[in-house]
Amino acid sequence: MAAPSSTSETSALILIADGTEEIEFVTPYDVLTRAGVSIKSAGVKLSNPFFAQCSRNIKIIPDIPSVDEIPDRMIDNASILILPGGGPGAKTFCQSPEVLRLVREFRNEGKHVAFICAGTTALVESAKSGDGEAAKKCKVTSHPSVKQEIVDAGWEYAGDEERVVKDGNVITSRGPGTALLFSLTIVETLVGKAKRDEVQGPMICADTL
């Protein structure tokens, strides 16, 4: 297995919609930035062209207003695609052909994809019309509110004690309270455990995240 890439050549893409859970968006953005990973955000079907109205009414301005405006070079260079949860935001992701295409594209190219909370439903939806790697079901987790939907679709569902699940190139996590562990797992996956430890220490993280 190849060693993770250095931060100088590692970048990430994270999506946001109206109703996205703020903690699950901001935490990966913050933690990956601390790790030296270049991360950019893109809006999905935002009702206001300038910001996303998130689940707790915090307004967040994405780096790119719309997912269909993401430059091809940014998609090509990104090592991971991250989808936060929040019920309404996840529903928007599931209904967006552009988002589902991106998920399938990343999976078929052997890149990493990461989903937290209800965001895992977009992974499930993308696989319904996928082929090759993008159609493969794996072991996942999510917020308990969408567990049955995922199980009914035939995916292996992790035990409740598993706060972050990594199966191949797919990373999933449970909800706002697991966002920090989710983000640190992404850092370790992309740029190694040493970088994770370097980031985690000064953040004064609890031993049990």
Side-chain angles (χ1 to χ4, degrees):
M1 179 174 165
S5 302
S6 67
T7 53
S8 63
E9 56 189 21
T10 305
S11 63
L13 180 62
I14 187 168
L15 304 184
I16 188 170
D18 293 327
T20 288
E21 167 57 59
E22 292 92 329
I23 293 173
E24 296 166 2
F25 172 85
V26 172
T27 307
Y29 204 114
D30 177 294
V31 174
L32 267 69
T33 299
R34 290 172 187 261
V37 175
S38 173
I39 181 167
K40 296 295 182 183
S41 59
V44 180
K45 296 183 179 179
L46 302 182
S47 57
N48 186 297
F50 301 107
F51 60 80
Q53 183 85 30
C54 294
S55 63
R56 298 324 185 252
N57 297 317
I58 295 175
K59 298 178 177 66
I60 295 178
I61 302 170
D63 299 308
I64 302 164
S66 177
V67 68
D68 55 15
E69 297 176 20
I70 304 173
D72 289 342
R73 68 182 183 280
M74 187 176 293
I75 296 171
D76 292 342
N77 291 337
S79 300
I80 191 167
L81 175 68
I82 305 168
L83 272 64
K91 183 176 180 180
T92 296
F93 295 155
C94 288
Q95 295 174 344
S96 167
E98 293 87 355
V99 171
L100 301 181
R101 177 187 59 78
L102 273 179
V103 174
R104 290 191 292 266
E105 181 178 321
F106 271 65
R107 294 191 72 194
N108 280 334
E109 291 182 2
K111 296 182 177 183
H112 298 286
V113 288
F115 310 84
I116 184 170
C117 195
T120 303
T121 59
L123 169 66
V124 172
E125 186 66 28
S126 72
K128 292 177 181 178
S129 55
D131 55 20
E133 189 65 28
K136 290 183 179 179
K137 297 174 181 177
C138 59
K139 183 179 179 182
V140 297
T141 191
S142 70
H143 192 273
S145 64
V146 296
K147 174 181 178 178
Q148 196 58 50
E149 175 183 344
I150 294 167
V151 170
D152 289 347
W155 292 67
E156 180 183 357
Y157 201 89
D160 292 347
E161 73 282 359
E162 296 188 62
R163 294 163 63 81
V164 175
V165 174
K166 188 171 182 291
D167 189 350
N169 289 336
V170 178
I171 302 168
T172 54
S173 190
R174 303 202 71 202
T178 66
L180 183 53
L181 180 58
F182 174 66
S183 304
L184 290 167
T185 300
I186 293 172
V187 168
E188 182 171 346
T189 298
L190 295 182
V191 291
K193 188 176 186 306
K195 178 59 69 172
R196 171 183 173 155
D197 292 344
E198 178 185 321
V199 169
Q200 185 170 329
M203 292 179 72
I204 320 299
C205 296
D207 291 338
T208 302
L209 294 172

